[in-house]
């Protein structure tokens, strides 16, 4: 405010002064313009909230307000337990998938698995990921009998709520992606226990690429 | 009546006229350096943070994908800063007594946010959207540089409009396959021009006339 009134005053000077003072005052105005340019950033920093911009209004300085507990947005009542909790009407984990598992679903699951799970479980699911090598508790391999026989809903529930040392990934992975990961974990389990009988007759088998225990290529 | 100007004024005038070219060029150069250089755009300057977070360690060293923390980048205009819970996924067990990480643990205990300093800040009249860039095959690296080598995070580019427009005019020189958007140190498998032209078609990237329209970025 003060800057603006000073500039206005400076601009009005040449018109109000007697002739002999006008020339230096014009010079003064030019200098003032030169030095005052690009000081104001009002259009750059508008008084509005963009994501994660702090707020001076709320005591916790968050402009993005947390939802009131129990609030449900219209159309967001997640009451399909089989999809959102991986549990059937009897409260037990379901062993089905809520949608057909296509190749696209598996590929989606692979990409999500490699982002969120592979740091600990490693890309082949043996539980020797980088974070584990740096000291995190070793998770079991997916290829032990117990985990090969658990229902799909159990794996979904572990992703959603965590298990043992594993934290929950409910905030990082959306439900549909969790199911895609379940499908990919199933594919990993198949891959480590496949037999010649699983190969359709007439199918050519490519030469296997050897994997080191850490999952890297030898 | 004596001469008003001394004889040497002739030389002086000639030098001044000749020198004006250099003076103007110099002024233009200074202005260019000032308005586009690191001092006013803050490119390549490390921002101080409450915790000295190292992308070099987490991305380059451990091989975490960008999306492990910045989960919303594919679906939202904004690539979120992870909540403290994401840090604690690992740091509840690893470096769990490190004094450097005390602000993280304090934030987790109390529920107060860690007040990170914004590194890449576009003017508010630019409506930049991360998800569209990621889904059309613009790599993180293309704008943010080799984040996997930044021990402390800086803004890689000057974020001036001509820098944006350069890619909007020639998207084929910069796009990469969607599977490689988070790859650091990406090298195109072949001729970028051919790959770029194919990807522009495949991903339905708009014509440069649309991409450089004012309302694409300013509304």
């Amino acid at each position: 405010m003060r800057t603006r009134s000073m500039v206005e005053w400076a601009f009005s000077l040449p018109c109000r002064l007697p002739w002999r003072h006008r020339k230096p005052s014009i010079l003064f105005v030019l200098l003032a313009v030169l030095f005052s340019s690009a000081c104001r950033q009002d259009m750059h920093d508008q008084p509005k909230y963009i994501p994660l911009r702090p707020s001076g209004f709320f005591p916790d300085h968050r402009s993005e307000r947390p939802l009131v507990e129990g609030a449900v947005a219209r159309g967001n009542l997640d009451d399909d337990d089989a999809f959102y909790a991986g549990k059937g009407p009897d409260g037990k984990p379901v062993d089905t998938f809520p949608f057909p598992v296509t190749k696209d679903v598996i590929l989606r699951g692979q990409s999500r698995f490699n982002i969120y799970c592979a740091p600990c479980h490693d890309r082949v699911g043996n539980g020797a990921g980088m974070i584990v090598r740096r000291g995190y508790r070793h998770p079991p391999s997916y290829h032990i009998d117990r985990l090969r026989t658990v229902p799909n809903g159990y794996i979904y529930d572990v992703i959603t709520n965590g298990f043992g040392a594993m934290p929950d990934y409910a905030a990082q992975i959306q439900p549909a992606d969790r199911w895609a990961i379940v499908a990919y974990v199933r594919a990993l389990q198949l891959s480590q226990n496949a037999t010649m009988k699983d190969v359709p007759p007439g199918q050519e088998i490519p030469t296997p690429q050897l994997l080191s225990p850490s999952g890297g290529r030898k | 009546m004596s001469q008003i100007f001394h004889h040497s004024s002739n030389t002086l005038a000639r030098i001044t006229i000749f020198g004006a070219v250099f003076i103007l060029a110099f002024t233009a150069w200074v202005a260019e350096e000032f308005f586009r250089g690191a001092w006013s755009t803050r490119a390549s300057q490390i921002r101080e943070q409450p915790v000295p977070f190292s992308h070099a360690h987490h991305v380059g060293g451990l091989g975490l994908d960008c999306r492990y923390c910045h989960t919303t980048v594919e679906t939202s205009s904004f690539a979120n800063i992870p909540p403290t819970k994401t840090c604690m996924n690992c740091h509840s067990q690893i470096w769990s007594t490190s004094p450097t990480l005390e602000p993280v643990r304090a934030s987790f205990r109390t529920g107060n946010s860690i007040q990170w300093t914004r590194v890449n800040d576009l003017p508010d009249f630019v409506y930049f959207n991360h998800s569209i860039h990621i889904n059309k095959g613009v790599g993180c690296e293309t704008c943010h540089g080799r984040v996997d080598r930044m021990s402390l995070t800086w803004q890689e580019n000057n974020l001036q409009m001509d820098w944006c427009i350069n890619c909007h005019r020639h998207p084929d020189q910069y796009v990469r396959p969607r599977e490689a958007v988070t790859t650091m140190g990406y090298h195109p498998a072949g001729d970028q021009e051919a790959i770029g032209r194919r990807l522009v078609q495949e991903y339905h990237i708009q014509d440069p006339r649309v991409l450089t329209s004012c309302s694409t970025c300013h509304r």
Side-chain angles (χ1 to χ4, degrees), chain A residues 71-86:
Chain A
V72 177
R74 187 173 282 269
N76 281 271
L77 179 62
D78 302 339
D79 59 347
D80 182 355
D81 267 358
F83 185 78
Y84 291 103

Side-chain angles (χ1 to χ4, degrees), chain A residues 33-60:
Chain A
V33 166
L34 188 73
F35 284 109
S36 66
S37 64
C39 288
R40 293 172 67 93
Q41 294 273 314
D42 290 3
M43 291 295 279
H44 286 67
D45 303 314
Q46 295 165 19
K48 67 178 182 184
Y49 290 134
I50 57 169
L52 294 195
R53 180 167 281 177
S55 160
F57 182 76
F58 298 102
D60 61 359

